Amino acid sequence: MKLDILVFGAHADDAEIGMAGTIAKHTAAGLKVGLCDLTAAEMSSNGTVERRKQEAQEAADVLGAALRTNLGLPDRGIRLEEAQLAAVTAEIRRFAPDIVFAPYWEDRHPDHIACSKLVEEAVFSSKLRKYLPELPAVKAPLLYFYFINDIGRIDLMVDVTAEYARKERALSCYRSQFEKAPGEDVVSTPLNEGYIERVRSRDMLTGQRKLIPYAEGFASKIPHTVELFKGSRA
């Protein structure tokens, strides 16, 4: 299956935190969007691998994703090394997306930073026909970065006001991470201490500069080409 968009995250829920509204908007428009989690989040303080897998698929279904895969890389062990680079590159070649998304390169969680760098390197390697020659090289997709915990320079924003209810539905699928269920052995973490409310506030502030109720921001390391500058003064 060829994908229009492939979104990478270190863990299930990364993509939803950063860009669930954008995913929902594109799937509603008929585009094929795939999600790829690098790890099974086996080091998470709460939840189990099996439960996270189930929650991840539920969230993907809410967003209308064409597929969700998991590369099984070690949680807290994402590294820019040959085996991991080959695995991510192969995933890009497998689906030949036009656009790839990865976490922003600065974040409080080291795995998000490592995922960002690994995906960036894999996007470059995906076009090299002498790298992994057993897999056909593909045209390097466009690469954009979404925000999880920390906000950086926003180069693009997507109005996700109409899709925001679906974003919150997708996030609510991760009950093991964002809720403290009575009677369960749950460790207090930033995720279950009002995290979804903070994501909502962030997305409101992102849209504020353009008078958009809810928006998701993205960064790019390459400039955008335009034919003519035009638009409103808003």
Side-chain angles (χ1 to χ4, degrees):
M1 179 190 298
K2 179 181 174 4
L3 295 173
D4 298 297
I5 294 171
L6 180 56
V7 184
F8 286 95
H11 322 96
D13 76 15
D14 289 348
E16 288 87 346
I17 291 169
M19 57 177 294
T22 300
I23 293 168
K25 190 164 193 169
H26 284 76
T27 60
L31 279 73
K32 288 185 173 63
V33 181
L35 308 176
C36 178
D37 308 314
L38 297 192
T39 79
E42 64 271 16
M43 297 297 290
S44 292
S45 298
N46 296 314
T48 63
V49 168
E50 283 305 312
R51 185 171 178 183
R52 288 293 292 272
K53 181 179 179 180
Q54 180 181 354
E55 292 171 343
Q57 190 55 54
E58 290 176 4
D61 292 341
V62 167
L63 297 177
L67 55 87
R68 184 164 212 149
T69 60
N70 192 301
L71 295 186
L73 303 186
D75 192 15
R76 293 298 297 117
I78 300 174
R79 301 285 185 268
L80 183 56
E81 60 186 28
E82 180 53 36
Q84 296 192 22
L85 176 60
V88 178
T89 302
E91 194 77 351
I92 294 172
R93 289 183 174 179
R94 178 184 176 192
F95 297 112
D98 298 316
I99 302 172
V100 161
F101 287 89
Y104 186 61
W105 55 87
E106 293 180 1
D107 192 275
R108 69 172 177 80
H109 197 314
D111 283 0
H112 300 163
I113 298 172
C115 175
S116 181
K117 183 61 176 175
L118 185 59
V119 173
E120 183 178 11
E121 294 275 350
V123 165
F124 185 88
S125 295
S126 65
K127 68 180 180 180
L128 304 177
R129 63 187 179 91
K130 292 183 179 179
Y131 179 75
L132 298 181
E134 66 275 14
L135 299 173
V138 298
K139 181 180 179 181
L142 295 174
L143 176 61
Y144 298 105
F145 301 89
Y146 63 88
F147 302 102
I148 303 175
N149 295 307
D150 302 317
I151 287 285
R153 181 195 72 234
I154 295 176
D155 298 310
L156 300 163
M157 69 169 66
V158 177
D159 183 347
V160 294
T161 305
E163 293 76 29
Y164 213 77
R166 285 178 71 190
K167 174 167 185 166
E168 294 194 319
R169 281 175 54 206
L171 288 172
S172 70
C173 292
Y174 294 99
R175 292 172 292 279
S176 68
Q177 303 304 301
F178 297 123
E179 295 181 6
K180 287 184 175 180
E184 290 189 7
D185 181 18
V186 177
V187 177
S188 292
T189 72
L191 294 182
N192 57 31
E193 296 288 347
Y195 191 84
I196 292 179
E197 288 78 5
R198 290 194 291 275
V199 171
R200 184 187 304 120
S201 297
R202 177 199 68 190
D203 294 344
M204 292 173 67
L205 286 172
T206 297
Q208 179 176 269
R209 293 171 65 183
K210 295 291 289 183
L211 302 180
I212 297 171
Y214 294 99
E216 292 170 339
F218 300 91
S220 174
K221 289 189 176 182
I222 59 173
H224 295 275
T225 302
V226 298
E227 294 296 328
L228 295 171
F229 285 100
K230 54 185 178 180
S232 70
R233 300 188 183 190

